[in-house]
Amino acid sequence: ASSDIDCAVPFYGVNFQLLTPEGLRKPVQGHFGWEDTMTGLSDPDAASALAEALADIGNDESVVHMYHGAGHGFLNDSPAPFKSFEDRQAALGMVPYNPEVVALAWDRTLGFFAKHLSVS
């Protein structure tokens, strides 16, 4: 990890081909949807792999959150380029926007940043 990064908050995606989990010594808070179908990037298995990798290196300041009722891109409050979330779900299998999940994810993220980032 770069010395100029204090923490990381990945949302729905981690590329293990570009990332060596052994280098993740800084606090990490991941956010993934249980209904995400992006296999190997942001599906529940990828989220579990990140959590396991962080635990294996003893990074006890890190956590991976997985949200029921959320899929890939769950923070996106627009169905674009589709006319509706239902159209997007029919075409891509992505579940509709869930404002309760989004609010919880943002609350956790901002709390994490408040804890791990300082203003100089």
Side-chain angles (χ1 to χ4, degrees), residues 26-100:
K26 304 286 177 98
V28 175
Q29 183 183 79
H31 299 269
F32 296 82
W34 274 107
E35 286 75 29
D36 196 321
T37 58
M38 299 283 216
T39 304
L41 174 69
S42 53
D43 65 316
D45 288 341
S48 295
L50 176 60
E52 185 177 316
L54 293 166
D56 286 350
I57 63 168
N59 188 332
D60 58 0
E61 289 194 77
S62 296
V63 64
V64 174
H65 298 288
M66 297 176 68
Y67 301 93
H68 290 283
H72 193 75
F74 67 84
L75 288 183
N76 189 352
D77 64 354
S78 168
F82 301 95
K83 291 183 181 183
S84 69
F85 285 107
E86 292 75 18
D87 290 347
R88 184 181 78 173
Q89 185 172 18
L92 302 177
M94 296 171 71
V95 298
Y97 180 74
N98 183 331
E100 291 81 20

